[in-house]
Amino acid sequence: MIQGTTSDAGKSILVAGLCRVLARAGLSVVPFKPQNMALNSAVTVEGGEIGRAQALQAQACGLEPANDMNPVLLKPNTDIGAQVIVHGQVDATLDAVAYHERKPALLQAVMESWRRLQQRYKYIVVEGAGSPAEINLRDRDIANMGFAEHADCPVALIADIDKGGVFAHLVGTLALLSETERRRVIGFVINKFRGDMALLQPGLTWLEQETGKPVLGVLPYLHGLHLDAEDAISTATDMPPQESALKVIAPVFPRISNHTDFDPLRLHPQVDFRFIGAGTAPPPADLIILPGTKNVRADLQWLRDHHWLPAIYRHLRYGGKLIGICGGYQMLGDVIADPHGIESKPGSSVGLGLLRMETELRPQKQLRQVRARLALDNTPACGYEIHAGVTQGAALENPALLMPDRQDGAISADNQILGCYLHGLFDAGAACAALLQWAGLAQAQAPDYHDLRERQLERLADVVEANINLAGIFPGIDLW
């Protein structure tokens, strides 16, 4: 099990790298995260929902994402409450106190998944959540040491040296563990080191002497590594965009979900993509995209409060293009109704009024992997749907996506606005190119985002093999 001294210490990346190392050695390996909190999620082969990072780790193993890889997923819809996903399906919406009370029952669900994976795979690489040293969360923990103790799982601690204070993070975390938990820690990994190893070595020697635990490896800072983020929004790009690049912007909603939808645009050499946060006026752009959100009515109000509506209407008057994905698609209509209080208090909100349609949020969430064709030019597209809304209205008579058994989304009569429920809309190279051409980019390239992800996983595995004492993490495997 890989646990971190902080959030974003490198747990997800190290697990993905270890999974790819074992998989390409021909070993039976699967990722596992007992409890995840993230608004970036993926649809499984069973039609369930798990964290996006576990889907990436599944790809590293050569597997399709499955419910048991992340048995408990929390999707925050307020600062103190979250939707609880158990074995891929919505279980409840709970505040923090109620969730804490529910943990013993959820531990049973976690261990059920763990045992099923044990029966199918020889190696399970587990990812913790946040830090095991959160004193207020130690009681009834199911995400870090609480799980490790139940599963009798050895633990490696990873810390991010780029944040500063790496030795304090590691020694302090170890000090706050119980004696049995400290014995469970087999060593340390330091992440994101840049500089001369000779200058770091005295610190490593001290750390080993002080704790009696070995340093299992030091991972370098990997410039240009682009893999699906668990939650944090990355603004990195592979290369500066061309001067003639299509300018694309998207608001950073407080409850933005599945922002990995935009990774293919961030990395596209012909696109200048920018996330626009609170306090920044929307700059001129060729294309505005409204992302998905876990609280569509609240984030629609956020758009109003931060003066996006005048900017959107002006953008359209001057011929700009607009895309709405999932929650962003729902905002384009006349009304969003939540009579059951699915995402917030029961009620309804007036939409942007750009497409003649209405959306009602309902308890049954729609979860499916999708293959479709763009109605624009019949180009193949693929992705996944995760939404609680049912959308109806005259706008749907001009759909955005065509499937053998149904249609999805809408395109406005003036061809300026496109909306749909499909996450991953830009992942397929041909679909990405077609949408960029629709938005005004001549001769758009069609990079293969899946192939890019594969190359990044291979690069990551090479770095892990070169810099981690794998025999120390996996004793008894005769590979190194």
Side-chain angles (χ1 to χ4, degrees):
M1 184 176 192
I2 305 300
Q3 296 184 16
T5 58
T6 62
S7 294
D8 201 32
K11 298 183 293 291
S12 298
I13 292 298
L14 181 54
V15 169
L18 292 171
C19 283
R20 177 51 64 97
V21 166
L22 295 185
R24 70 185 186 182
L27 298 176
S28 170
V29 58
V30 67
F32 183 69
K33 183 156 185 170
Q35 173 199 286
N36 198 348
M37 178 180 285
L39 289 176
N40 283 344
S41 57
V43 174
T44 66
V45 290
E46 306 101 322
E49 188 176 2
I50 63 172
R52 187 84 196 155
Q54 281 60 68
L56 170 71
Q57 293 158 0
Q59 181 176 337
C61 296
L63 302 172
E64 291 292 326
N67 293 343
D68 282 334
M69 295 174 184
N70 176 205
V72 178
L73 172 63
L74 306 179
K75 302 189 75 174
N77 45 25
T78 69
D79 287 341
I80 59 171
Q83 187 179 72
V84 182
I85 312 292
V86 180
H87 292 151
Q89 302 299 321
V90 175
D91 179 74
T93 297
L94 302 174
D95 62 27
V97 173
Y99 177 74
H100 186 68
E101 296 296 323
R102 187 80 190 284
K103 283 182 180 179
L106 294 174
L107 179 60
Q108 296 180 28
V110 166
M111 297 310 296
E112 287 172 11
S113 290
W114 171 254
R115 286 188 288 269
R116 283 194 289 263
L117 293 179
Q118 282 185 310
Q119 293 170 2
R120 295 185 58 192
Y121 301 93
K122 186 170 184 180
Y123 297 101
I124 307 176
V125 187
V126 188
E127 180 186 340
S131 162
E134 304 292 348
I135 302 302
N136 56 311
L137 299 177
R138 292 287 302 279
D139 178 40
R140 307 184 186 187
D141 170 55
I142 67 172
N144 290 299
M145 285 298 179
F147 165 77
E149 295 274 71
H150 274 84
D152 192 21
C153 184
V155 172
L157 279 178
I158 186 170
D160 182 351
I161 195 170
D162 199 53
K163 287 183 168 72
V166 70
F167 298 109
H169 284 172
L170 290 167
V171 175
T173 297
L174 203 64
L176 291 173
L177 302 179
S178 70
E179 181 58 35
T180 60
E181 292 167 348
R182 280 194 291 270
R183 288 198 297 267
R184 191 168 295 284
V185 176
I186 59 174
F188 308 117
V189 175
I190 292 177
N191 189 30
K192 291 188 179 179
F193 176 72
R194 38 184 162 187
D196 190 333
M197 276 296 295
L199 296 176
L200 182 62
Q201 190 56 52
L204 303 182
T205 301
W206 175 89
L207 180 63
E208 292 184 335
Q209 292 173 347
E210 179 73 16
T211 64
K213 307 283 187 183
V215 175
L216 297 167
V218 177
L219 293 173
Y221 193 105
L222 294 177
H223 295 277
L225 181 72
H226 298 293
L227 290 169
D228 304 51
E230 185 164 67
D231 225 17
I233 292 179
S234 171
T235 57
T237 57
D238 266 339
M239 62 190 74
Q242 302 169 1
E243 288 188 11
S244 59
L246 191 80
K247 296 186 183 303
V248 183
I249 61 173
V252 181
F253 295 138
R255 298 297 169 192
I256 187 172
S257 65
N258 293 76
H259 61 72
T260 49
D261 285 344
F262 307 114
D263 286 354
L265 301 182
R266 289 195 306 110
L267 304 176
H268 199 294
Q270 296 173 289
V271 174
D272 179 5
F273 178 85
R274 301 181 191 180
F275 281 115
I276 308 300
T280 302
D286 301 297
L287 171 64
I288 296 176
I289 307 179
L290 301 182
T293 163
K294 188 61 187 69
N295 196 326
V296 62
R297 292 174 58 217
D299 282 348
L300 175 59
Q301 186 60 47
W302 181 92
L303 274 185
R304 290 192 165 95
D305 294 342
H306 289 79
H307 312 296
W308 271 81
L309 270 62
I312 290 172
Y313 296 142
R314 182 173 61 251
H315 169 81
L316 292 171
R317 284 199 304 273
Y318 282 92
K321 296 297 180 76
L322 175 65
I323 292 178
I325 299 176
C326 200
Y329 164 50
Q330 295 171 348
M331 292 179 185
L332 300 176
D334 296 317
V335 175
I336 303 164
D338 188 2
H340 307 285
I342 303 300
E343 294 183 346
S344 56
K345 292 181 180 180
S348 63
S349 298
V350 176
L352 301 182
L354 297 171
L355 294 175
R356 298 279 76 81
M357 63 185 202
E358 299 181 353
T359 297
E360 180 179 310
L361 303 185
R362 298 179 183 176
Q364 185 61 43
K365 186 181 288 191
Q366 304 297 310
L367 296 162
R368 57 171 72 95
Q369 296 181 352
V370 175
R371 290 192 176 275
R373 290 187 175 273
L374 297 179
L376 294 170
D377 60 0
N378 213 35
T379 298
C382 61
Y384 56 98
E385 291 183 21
I386 301 176
H387 60 93
V390 175
T391 301
Q392 299 175 320
L396 278 64
E397 295 174 6
N398 188 23
L401 296 171
L402 307 175
M403 289 157 271
D405 58 340
R406 61 192 179 92
Q407 300 172 341
D408 177 47
I411 300 174
S412 62
D414 61 9
N415 200 38
Q416 281 187 262
I417 303 168
L418 183 151
C420 66
Y421 276 115
L422 189 66
H423 291 289
L425 184 63
F426 303 100
D427 285 6
C432 181
L435 289 165
L436 293 178
Q437 287 176 324
W438 169 79
L441 180 62
Q443 298 180 329
Q445 297 176 17
D448 187 329
Y449 186 59
H450 178 83
D451 182 62
L452 171 63
R453 193 187 283 120
E454 278 294 309
R455 294 198 306 271
Q456 299 285 2
L457 285 169
E458 285 295 304
R459 176 191 175 199
L460 177 61
D462 289 343
V463 170
V464 167
E465 280 194 345
N467 294 278
I468 298 293
N469 176 9
L470 295 168
I473 294 181
F474 301 109
I477 301 182
D478 186 18
L479 290 176
W480 306 285

